[in-house]
Amino acid sequence: LQNGRPMPMAGGFARNRSRSRGGGKGGVGKPVGGFGKRLYVGNLAFTVSWQDLKDHFKVIGPIRDATVATDGTIGTRPKSRGFGFVEFFKPEDHERALQVMTDTEIGGRKIWVREDRDL
């Protein structure tokens, strides 16, 4: 973290490393703990950060992890590759997000949400 924000990472992932109430464990790959399901979020604007993604989804419930795939930077912020992942603590929040978050708008673009297939 730099000034309380994730450091830009070229060609990698901007990770939510917060562990406080509703934060996430960060990282990519198989979730540790929880119930083991992630959501894939597509059509993200290039300026969307992991924090933006987390803030958008927290209306559903506490977020375990929010990650945005990045490639390069825009100014001092990582540049989104257009997709990310969200993991909830509770299975019912996961299911609700699948039902209601597709076609919501973040960063000026409508997103779509599905089960992550890479687990």
Side-chain angles (χ1 to χ4, degrees):
L1 291 178
Q2 181 178 10
N3 298 328
R5 297 169 61 193
M7 293 174 54
M9 300 172 65
F13 287 85
R15 297 179 180 122
N16 173 2
R17 295 189 183 274
S18 168
R19 286 192 178 265
S20 61
R21 297 181 303 179
K25 51 90 183 143
V28 176
K30 210 168 204 179
V32 177
F35 66 99
K37 284 188 174 182
R38 265 188 335 188
L39 297 174
Y40 177 92
V41 182
N43 200 38
L44 294 176
F46 294 136
T47 57
V48 170
S49 70
W50 67 265
Q51 186 67 55
D52 299 329
L53 190 60
K54 179 181 175 184
D55 289 346
H56 187 72
F57 276 80
K58 73 181 179 184
V59 298
I60 299 294
I63 304 293
R64 178 179 183 82
D65 183 38
T67 305
V68 173
T70 60
D71 186 21
T73 60
I74 298 174
T76 60
R77 291 182 68 166
K79 177 184 170 192
S80 169
R81 290 177 55 200
F83 67 93
F85 304 96
V86 174
E87 182 184 353
F88 290 91
F89 284 102
K90 298 178 185 176
E92 55 269 21
D93 293 339
H94 173 92
E95 294 302 322
R96 185 164 177 249
L98 274 172
Q99 295 170 9
V100 301
M101 296 306 282
T102 291
D103 290 331
T104 60
E105 195 172 296
I106 179 174
R109 296 179 79 173
K110 284 188 177 183
I111 60 169
W112 50 272
V113 180
R114 67 165 169 79
E115 293 276 350
D116 180 26
R117 297 181 189 144
D118 294 334
L119 291 176

